[in-house]
Amino acid sequence: MKDLGIGQGILIVIQKLCKDKGPLKSLRPISLLNSLRKLLSLIVLNRIRDPVESYVDPSQCAYKRRRATTDAIWTHRWLAACATRYNTPIHILGLDMSRAFDTISRAKLIKILENEVGLDKDALRMVSALLCDTCLQVRIDGEKSDWFNTTIGTPQGDCLSPILFIVYLEAALRVLRAKIGPKPPADKAFPLPPEIVYADDTDLVSYSKEWLVSVLAQIPPILADFDLIANAEKTEWVEYSKSHDEWRTAKKVGSYLGDYEDMQRRANL
C-alpha cells in the first residue's frame, strides 16, 4: 500500500458469513489504507478519545476502553433474569442501520465534533484532513476500477472510523431521546436502561410494547435527518418473560441469550 496517498484507499469486498452469495447486501466492503494514514488516525484517536468517551452515552458498548460485546450481552441477560424472577415482561426493540458507516454526512460530523464534543481547532483540522479529498478504487478478483471521489461516510480501514461513527450516532440518539420524551412511569420492581447499543445495533428497552411501537414510527424521520437509514428487514422484537422462553434463542452481537443455548451453539460451531 506504499503507493497510495493519504486520502486514497483500495475497496475490496468480503462475503458475509451465512449470507446468500450474489446480492450486494451479502458483501462487506473494506477499505485498505496506507500506513501513513493509519498512523495519523491513531494519533488523532489518542488525542480525542477522552472528550469522545465523555460525550458518548454509557449505553454504547463498542469501540470504547474497557467495553466490549460482553457488556451488551450481560445487560440483556440481566434484564432477562430480572423479568423471569419478578414475573415482569420486558420488551426489546432492536434496530439496525443500513450501510451506516457509508451514509454519514462529513459536514455534520465535523459540526458535532466542534459544537457538541468540544474538540479543539487542531484536532478538528486533523480529523478534517482525514475526511477530505478521499477517493477509492474497487478491486475484485484482480480487476481494478477507475479511481472515484468519495464525499460521504468514513473510510472503513483505520482505528478512527468507528469512533467517529459512534459520535455521529450518539448525536442522532440524543435527538431521538429528546423527541420521544420520558418512558411511561415504571411501577415495577427495578428501573430499566434507556437502550443497549453496540456500534449501530441499537436496542430500545421498555416495559410497554405499545410505547415502543409509537417510538418506532418516529425513528425513521429522525435518523433521516442524519442520513441514517433504519433497516426495516432487521427490526427485531424480543420479550423477556417467565411465561415465554423464545428469548433464549434470540441472538445479540453474536451470542444467544440463553446460557445453555449459547454453549450448545458454540460447541456445535
Side-chain angles (χ1 to χ4, degrees), residues 43 71 92 108 116-117 143-144 163 190 214 237 244 249:
I43 293 171
D71 295 278
I92 307 293
K108 289 182 181 178
E116 299 188 31
V117 181
E143 297 293 329
K144 304 177 184 179
I163 302 299
F190 49 91
S214 67
W237 290 95
H244 300 90
T249 54

Side-chain angles (χ1 to χ4, degrees), residues 98-111:
S98 296
R99 303 177 300 279
F101 282 71
D102 301 325
T103 62
I104 68 175
S105 166
R106 296 178 182 179
K108 289 182 181 178
L109 173 60
I110 294 298
K111 288 183 179 179

Side-chain angles (χ1 to χ4, degrees), residues 26-133:
S26 299
L27 301 175
R28 186 180 303 281
I30 300 294
S31 298
L32 304 181
L33 309 172
N34 70 7
S35 298
L36 180 60
R37 181 189 176 89
K38 292 184 178 181
L39 179 60
L40 180 57
S41 296
L42 184 59
I43 293 171
V44 176
L45 174 60
N46 289 334
R47 186 184 183 107
I48 71 173
R49 186 185 291 275
D50 287 338
V52 162
E53 293 196 358
S54 297
Y55 174 74
V56 176
D57 193 86
S59 61
Q60 175 64 261
C61 301
Y63 314 126
K64 298 164 69 177
R65 289 173 291 192
R66 298 178 293 277
R67 300 297 299 276
T69 55
T70 50
D71 295 278
I73 296 168
W74 184 90
T75 305
H76 278 287
R77 288 178 176 168
W78 176 80
L79 291 174
C82 290
T84 302
R85 177 177 180 179
Y86 296 106
N87 194 22
T88 303
I90 298 173
H91 299 276
I92 307 293
L93 169 59
L95 302 175
D96 187 82
M97 315 292 175
S98 296
R99 303 177 300 279
F101 282 71
D102 301 325
T103 62
I104 68 175
S105 166
R106 296 178 182 179
K108 289 182 181 178
L109 173 60
I110 294 298
K111 288 183 179 179
I112 293 168
L113 291 172
E114 180 180 10
N115 300 329
E116 299 188 31
V117 181
L119 296 189
D120 59 66
K121 292 183 179 180
D122 289 337
L124 287 171
R125 279 196 292 267
M126 296 171 76
V127 174
S128 298
L130 292 170
L131 294 179
C132 69
D133 299 326

Side-chain angles (χ1 to χ4, degrees), residues 139-244:
R139 293 186 184 178
I140 301 178
D141 296 332
E143 297 293 329
K144 304 177 184 179
S145 74
D146 294 331
W147 289 95
F148 59 92
N149 295 326
T150 58
T151 58
I152 60 173
T154 56
Q156 298 182 59
D158 61 19
C159 57
L160 185 63
S161 178
I163 302 299
L164 296 179
F165 172 75
I166 63 172
V167 169
Y168 192 82
L169 178 60
E170 173 63 23
L173 290 177
R174 289 190 176 200
V175 175
L176 177 63
R177 296 180 194 120
K179 289 193 175 182
I180 64 178
K183 293 184 178 182
D187 54 352
K188 308 299 181 180
F190 49 91
L192 298 177
E195 66 261 337
I196 307 167
V197 189
Y198 188 86
D200 60 336
D201 292 331
T202 303
D203 294 310
L204 303 181
V205 186
S206 178
Y207 289 114
S208 171
K209 184 174 182 179
E210 291 74 18
W211 183 79
L212 288 176
V213 170
S214 67
V215 168
L216 181 58
Q218 303 177 58
I219 290 175
I222 293 174
L223 294 183
D225 287 340
F226 288 84
D227 303 297
L228 296 172
I229 305 170
N231 191 339
E233 295 180 359
K234 294 186 178 181
T235 298
E236 297 179 345
W237 290 95
V238 180
E239 177 184 334
Y240 300 148
S241 69
K242 190 173 184 177
S243 57
H244 300 90

Side-chain angles (χ1 to χ4, degrees), residues 19-30:
K19 299 292 184 179
D20 296 333
K21 292 185 177 181
L24 291 178
K25 63 182 180 180
S26 299
L27 301 175
R28 186 180 303 281
I30 300 294

